[in-house]
Structure formats: C-alpha cells, structure tokens
Amino acid sequence: MTEVDTRKAEQVVDDFVARLAVASLPDGERAAVCEAALKRLMGHLIEREGWLAEEFAAAARSLGAY
C-alpha cells in the first residue's frame, strides 16, 4: 500500500458530509442517502481497487451492504 496524506482523505469525507448537510434532507432520508452512498463507494472500491477487494467485500458483507 502506498503512503497517503490522510488530510486529503479527511477533506474528501468532510466535503461529502457538507454536501449532505446542504441538501437539508429529513433525518430518515439523510440516513438512507448515507447508506446508499456508502454501498456505492464500497462497490466502487471493490470493483476498481483490486488489492482492496477482499477487505472491502468482507467489511461490506459484515455491514449487510454488499
């Protein structure tokens, strides 16, 4: 695995969370959108980042997300 500047990852997550907050979704809908986004992200990583496939597949399955 390569070294990653964790600040970049934190910024991506912060930007995503900020976009959800701006959307002014009701609590239940926001939770559903967050769950759907997490499933999509996990699917993306599993498909496109081969070295992560097993780890993310196991994590996704344990969360019932994939």
Side-chain angles (χ1 to χ4, degrees), residues 30-66:
R30 185 173 49 250
V33 168
C34 287
E35 181 180 353
L38 180 58
K39 287 179 183 180
R40 184 169 176 180
L41 174 61
M42 287 180 150
H44 170 83
L45 292 172
I46 290 166
E47 282 181 23
R48 297 194 178 129
E49 302 298 332
W51 63 271
L52 287 175
E54 287 185 32
E55 291 82 355
F56 274 98
R61 279 193 291 277
S62 73
L63 296 171
Y66 187 79

